[in-house]
Coordinates of all heavy atoms in Angstrom, one line a residue:
Y283 N 6.2 -16.3 -29.5 CA 7.2 -15.5 -30.2 C 8.3 -16.4 -30.8 O 8.9 -17.1 -30.2 CB 8.0 -14.6 -29.2 CG 9.0 -13.7 -29.7 CD1 8.6 -12.6 -30.5 CD2 10.3 -14.0 -29.6 CE1 9.6 -11.8 -31.0 CE2 11.3 -13.2 -30.1 CZ 10.9 -12.0 -30.9 OH 11.9 -11.2 -31.4
D285 N 7.9 -19.1 -32.5 CA 7.5 -20.3 -32.3 C 7.8 -20.8 -30.9 O 7.9 -22.0 -30.7 CB 8.1 -21.3 -33.3 CG 7.3 -22.5 -33.6 OD1 6.0 -22.5 -33.4 OD2 7.8 -23.6 -33.8
P287 N 6.2 -20.7 -27.1 CA 5.1 -20.3 -26.4 C 5.6 -19.5 -25.1 O 6.3 -20.1 -24.3 CB 4.3 -21.6 -26.1 CG 5.2 -22.7 -26.4 CD 6.4 -22.1 -27.3
I290 N 2.6 -15.5 -19.2 CA 2.8 -14.7 -18.0 C 2.2 -15.4 -16.9 O 1.0 -15.5 -16.7 CB 2.4 -13.3 -18.3 CG1 3.2 -12.7 -19.4 CG2 2.6 -12.4 -17.1 CD1 2.7 -11.3 -20.0
W292 N 0.5 -16.2 -13.1 CA -0.5 -15.5 -12.4 C 0.1 -14.7 -11.1 O -0.6 -13.8 -10.6 CB -1.6 -16.6 -11.8 CG -1.0 -17.6 -10.9 CD1 -0.5 -18.8 -11.1 CD2 -0.9 -17.3 -9.4 NE1 0.0 -19.3 -10.1 CE2 -0.3 -18.5 -8.9 CE3 -1.2 -16.3 -8.6 CZ2 0.0 -18.7 -7.5 CZ3 -0.9 -16.4 -7.1 CH2 -0.4 -17.6 -6.7
I295 N -0.3 -10.8 -10.6 CA -1.3 -10.3 -9.8 C -0.8 -9.8 -8.5 O -1.3 -8.8 -8.0 CB -2.4 -11.3 -9.7 CG1 -3.0 -11.5 -11.1 CG2 -3.6 -10.7 -8.8 CD1 -4.3 -12.6 -11.1
I303 N -1.6 -1.6 -2.8 CA -1.5 -1.4 -1.4 C -0.5 -0.2 -1.0 O -0.8 0.6 -0.2 CB -1.2 -2.7 -0.7 CG1 -2.3 -3.7 -0.8 CG2 -0.8 -2.5 0.8 CD1 -2.0 -5.1 -0.3
A304 N 0.6 -0.3 -1.8 CA 1.6 0.8 -1.5 C 1.1 2.2 -1.8 O 1.2 3.1 -1.1 CB 2.8 0.6 -2.3
H311 N -2.4 9.9 -4.4 CA -1.8 10.9 -5.2 C -1.7 10.3 -6.6 O -1.3 9.2 -6.8 CB -0.4 11.3 -4.7 CG -0.3 11.7 -3.3 ND1 -0.9 13.1 -3.0 CD2 0.1 11.3 -2.2 CE1 -0.7 13.1 -1.6 NE2 -0.2 12.2 -1.2
E312 N -2.2 11.2 -7.5 CA -2.1 10.7 -8.9 C -0.7 10.5 -9.4 O -0.6 9.5 -10.2 CB -2.7 11.9 -9.8 CG -3.0 11.6 -11.3 CD -3.6 12.7 -12.0 OE1 -4.5 13.3 -11.5 OE2 -3.1 13.0 -13.1
S318 N 3.8 4.1 -10.4 CA 3.5 2.7 -10.2 C 3.2 1.9 -11.5 O 3.7 0.8 -11.7 CB 2.4 2.4 -9.1 OG 2.8 2.9 -7.9
L323 N 5.0 -1.7 -15.8 CA 5.3 -2.0 -17.2 C 6.8 -2.1 -17.5 O 7.2 -2.9 -18.3 CB 4.6 -0.9 -18.1 CG 3.1 -0.7 -18.1 CD1 2.6 0.4 -18.9 CD2 2.6 -2.0 -18.5
S328 N 11.2 -5.3 -19.1 CA 12.7 -5.8 -18.9 C 12.7 -7.3 -18.8 O 13.7 -7.8 -19.4 CB 13.3 -5.1 -17.8 OG 12.7 -5.5 -16.6
I329 N 11.8 -7.9 -18.1 CA 11.9 -9.3 -18.0 C 11.7 -10.1 -19.3 O 12.4 -11.0 -19.7 CB 10.9 -9.9 -17.0 CG1 11.4 -9.4 -15.6 CG2 10.8 -11.3 -16.9 CD1 10.3 -9.6 -14.5
L330 N 10.7 -9.5 -20.1 CA 10.4 -10.1 -21.4 C 11.6 -10.0 -22.5 O 12.0 -10.9 -23.0 CB 9.2 -9.4 -22.0 CG 7.8 -9.9 -21.6 CD1 6.7 -9.0 -22.0 CD2 7.5 -11.3 -22.0
I331 N 12.1 -8.8 -22.4 CA 13.3 -8.6 -23.4 C 14.5 -9.3 -23.0 O 15.1 -10.1 -23.9 CB 13.7 -7.0 -23.4 CG1 12.5 -6.2 -24.2 CG2 15.0 -6.9 -24.1 CD1 12.9 -4.7 -23.9
H332 N 14.8 -9.4 -21.7 CA 15.9 -10.1 -21.2 C 15.8 -11.7 -21.5 O 16.7 -12.3 -22.1 CB 16.1 -10.0 -19.7 CG 17.3 -10.8 -19.2 ND1 17.0 -11.9 -18.5 CD2 18.6 -10.6 -19.2 CE1 18.2 -12.4 -18.1 NE2 19.1 -11.6 -18.4
M341 N 18.3 -20.9 -28.9 CA 17.8 -21.6 -30.1 C 19.0 -21.5 -31.1 O 19.3 -22.5 -31.8 CB 16.6 -20.9 -30.7 CG 15.3 -21.1 -29.9 SD 13.9 -20.2 -30.4 CE 13.8 -20.7 -32.1
I345 N 19.7 -25.3 -28.6 CA 19.0 -25.9 -27.4 C 17.5 -25.8 -27.8 O 17.0 -24.7 -28.2 CB 19.3 -25.1 -26.1 CG1 20.7 -25.2 -25.8 CG2 18.4 -25.5 -25.0 CD1 21.2 -24.3 -24.7
K364 N 14.7 -34.5 -25.5 CA 15.3 -35.0 -26.8 C 15.1 -36.4 -27.1 O 14.7 -37.3 -26.2 CB 16.8 -34.8 -26.9 CG 17.2 -33.3 -26.9 CD 18.6 -33.2 -27.2 CE 19.0 -31.7 -27.6 NZ 20.4 -31.5 -27.9

Side-chain angles (χ1 to χ4, degrees):
Y283 180 76
D285 207 30
I290 299 175
W292 65 268
I295 293 175
I303 290 172
H311 301 290
E312 184 176 318
S318 292
L323 293 175
S328 65
I329 291 173
L330 277 172
I331 291 168
H332 177 262
M341 289 174 59
I345 299 170
K364 287 189 174 185

